[in-house]
Amino acid sequence: MPNVVIVGSQWGDEGKGKIVDLLTEFAHVIIRFQGGNNAGHTLVVGGEKFVFHLIPSGILHPGKKCIIGSGVVIDPGVLCEEIDALKKRGYFQGESQLLISEEAHYIMPYHKTIDVARERLKSGGKKIGTTGKGIGPAYEDKVARCGIRIIDLFDEEAFREKLEENLVQKNFYLTQMLGESPLDGTQILSDYMGFREKLGKYVADTSIVLHEEMKKGKNLLFEGAQGCLLDVDHGTYPYVTSSSTVAGNACSGSGVGPTRINAVIGVSKAYTTRVGGGPFPTEMKDALGEEIRQRGGEYGATTGRPRRCGWFDAVIVKHAVRVNGLSGIALTKLDILDTLGKIKMCTGYRRNGKTIDQVPSSIGVWEDVEPVYEELDGWQEDTRGTKRFSDLPINAQRYIRRFEEIVETEVILISVGSERDETIVLKNPFDTV
């Protein structure tokens, strides 16, 4: 009964959706445990492109149970749209395939309005680069103990009281501090009662469900969103997301104890990208960076924003190995480097004449470092669709082996294309127990 956690090892957008979809074949239950619809997990199956914002990427597999855990913040309108879109395309035909934790929190309309308005008031480099989806303000209310949970909507009077109480504060903040118009509680109540009718059949105490599944010997696959360097504690704070993105949160965000986790797989691109503001030591602001962006289709799945692109940064991935306890790495988008004659890896940083080989805690230090590079020969051969490691060009093999040496973790999966079957499987994490 192996249970596996999948997390991002960089700044998100590493290709977690594809890896989760691939490993769903060996799992019975797939769980999203944090974040919200700021996530955009893209996968391509049979030439069809799918982008998931809330529903676990395993939903394309009939008979697999998908759970949205208590650590997720949910925009019910987005979730309804996602469900409808899947059904129209012939997927998600069994209602029992999806469950939503009754303890998860709603994203409310005021969360989204506040999110956008606060970002608008920030100047230049102070902008975080929020998606404006209301994720941060929803988590703020959760911690401030005034959030509205999924279960609250089943008691209309209690929901109304919480909404009215929150709107007193939120409308004052919106009008007096942010220069926005007040929100109408009556309309919000009506909208959310409608969502209850659509989503109520999926709501359950999912922690109990997961424990019952484990008693039956079922395999669990935990799907993280964003990436380690966007973690609110261990990332490039304040240029981070609003939740804990590391593997430890798979437990608290789902209601499963840490002793039930058997493997943690970090997903990493063969290069580095990030969206929004914040430090990025290996960023390439030149024609080569643009070439990688175009070849890799590096545009945000949620916002459409162009991603910043740079060389692989081993410092941040070693950080991810440490704080997540990674047992293996899924290396993605190796094929995007196929055309390059020389490829660089960042093995450390330099600041004031000193070498730094760990992620700094100070944002000031982050923004003042220079990358230390090691240059490797490229392979300039097509790797897309390669099925075996031994069939990769010799320099591609050397690149991967050097990658493993620097980050001190083995590569167990190699993605050489966007399709599900364009993957080299060196080790199946579900075979570890």
Side-chain angles (χ1 to χ4, degrees):
M1 188 199 69
N3 300 321
V4 177
V5 178
I6 304 295
V7 293
S9 301
Q10 297 164 307
W11 278 291
D13 306 310
E14 301 95 348
K16 296 179 292 296
K18 174 184 173 175
I19 302 303
V20 170
D21 172 69
L22 180 74
L23 293 177
T24 292
E25 177 185 347
F26 310 99
H28 301 95
V29 187
I30 303 88
I31 310 101
R32 262 288 301 273
F33 58 86
Q34 49 76 219
N37 59 298
N38 53 343
H41 291 180
T42 303
L43 49 149
V44 180
V45 180
E48 279 193 275
K49 181 179 179 181
F50 299 85
V51 180
F52 296 108
H53 301 288
L54 285 167
I55 297 176
S57 301
I59 196 70
L60 299 182
H61 295 253
K64 305 292 183 174
K65 192 182 296 293
C66 292
I67 289 178
I68 300 175
S70 59
V72 179
V73 289
I74 298 173
D75 184 325
V78 171
L79 181 54
C80 287
E81 290 173 3
E82 202 162 311
I83 290 171
D84 291 343
L86 275 169
K87 290 184 175 181
K88 285 180 181 177
R89 296 174 73 172
Y91 295 90
F92 185 24
Q93 297 302 302
E95 300 290 12
S96 62
Q97 205 178 347
L98 177 67
L99 290 175
I100 304 167
S101 170
E102 61 188 15
E103 296 177 328
H105 282 242
Y106 280 116
I107 295 174
M108 304 298 291
Y110 45 78
H111 292 140
K112 293 183 280 188
T113 305
I114 288 170
D115 202 6
V116 173
R118 287 199 302 210
E119 185 80 347
R120 172 175 49 80
L121 292 176
K122 292 175 183 175
S123 59
K126 298 296 182 181
K127 292 183 182 293
I128 299 296
T130 175
T131 59
K133 305 296 184 182
I135 313 298
Y139 276 116
E140 288 176 33
D141 279 4
K142 178 177 180 176
V143 175
R145 292 162 293 181
C146 62
I148 298 179
R149 303 193 301 171
I150 301 297
I151 194 66
D152 295 330
L153 201 54
F154 291 88
D155 183 337
E156 184 173 342
E157 188 56 37
F159 180 86
R160 186 197 308 272
E161 289 178 6
K162 290 186 177 185
L163 176 61
E164 289 176 351
E165 184 176 335
N166 282 354
L167 279 176
V168 171
Q169 295 185 35
K170 304 303 182 185
N171 278 338
F172 179 84
Y173 183 51
L174 285 168
T175 58
Q176 301 302 310
M177 301 293 290
L178 300 178
E180 297 289 330
S181 299
L183 299 180
D184 178 17
T186 302
Q187 185 61 54
I188 295 174
L189 178 63
S190 175
D191 291 343
Y192 276 65
M193 286 299 126
F195 294 138
R196 182 182 69 179
E197 295 304 312
K198 294 180 180 179
L199 300 175
K201 57 191 168 187
Y202 304 116
V203 176
D205 185 330
T206 52
S207 175
I208 291 176
V209 172
L210 289 172
H211 279 266
E212 291 301 318
E213 293 292 326
M214 286 188 288
K215 283 182 180 179
K216 298 174 186 176
K218 304 297 185 181
N219 297 344
L220 308 187
L221 179 60
F222 297 84
E223 178 179 7
Q226 291 87 46
C228 178
L229 275 293
L230 292 176
D231 183 87
V232 71
D233 290 312
H234 304 290
T236 48
Y237 190 89
Y239 300 97
V240 293
T241 193
S242 308
S243 61
S244 178
T245 63
V246 296
N249 196 32
C251 299
S252 58
S254 64
V256 171
T259 57
R260 311 309 292 270
I261 304 301
N262 304 100
V264 181
I265 307 304
V267 185
S268 170
K269 283 176 179 166
Y271 50 98
T272 310
T273 64
R274 80 171 298 174
V275 174
F280 187 174
T282 67
E283 183 175 12
M284 292 186 284
K285 301 179 180 180
D286 55 13
L288 184 53
E290 181 60 29
E291 178 185 337
I292 290 176
R293 180 182 296 115
Q294 295 302 323
R295 280 183 54 80
E298 298 296 351
Y299 295 88
T302 297
T303 64
R305 291 179 295 180
R307 295 175 185 141
R308 300 156 64 189
C309 298
W311 295 116
F312 173 72
D313 187 336
V315 180
I316 67 171
V317 175
K318 286 175 68 177
H319 176 76
V321 169
R322 176 168 54 84
V323 301
N324 289 284
L326 297 185
S327 48
I329 288 178
L331 184 65
T332 62
K333 294 201 169 183
L334 182 72
D335 55 300
I336 304 306
L337 304 182
D338 284 353
T339 61
L340 305 183
K342 295 289 183 179
I343 301 172
K344 294 181 180 180
M345 282 187 177
C346 171
T347 58
Y349 305 142
R350 184 174 291 111
R351 181 174 182 263
N352 298 331
K354 296 182 179 179
T355 300
I356 301 172
D357 60 4
Q358 300 292 340
V359 164
S361 298
S362 165
I363 201 69
V365 174
W366 258 113
E367 293 173 340
D368 194 41
V369 300
E370 295 181 356
V372 176
Y373 285 121
E374 180 176 313
E375 190 171 77
L376 292 84
D377 291 329
W379 44 94
Q380 296 184 298
E381 294 180 48
D382 186 10
T383 61
R384 184 153 190 164
T386 304
K387 301 300 182 185
R388 296 182 301 180
F389 183 82
S390 59
D391 290 336
L392 287 170
I394 188 63
N395 283 346
Q397 295 182 37
R398 288 170 177 162
Y399 182 86
I400 294 165
R401 293 309 183 206
R402 184 59 182 142
F403 178 106
E404 292 177 315
E405 289 173 4
I406 296 174
V407 303
E408 300 175 354
T409 307
E410 65 177 340
V411 171
I412 66 166
L413 295 166
I414 305 166
S415 174
V416 286
S418 57
E419 287 278 0
R420 180 188 288 166
D421 62 355
E422 293 179 315
T423 310
I424 301 170
V425 180
L426 301 175
K427 181 183 292 186
N428 184 339
F430 283 100
D431 292 338
T432 58
V433 176

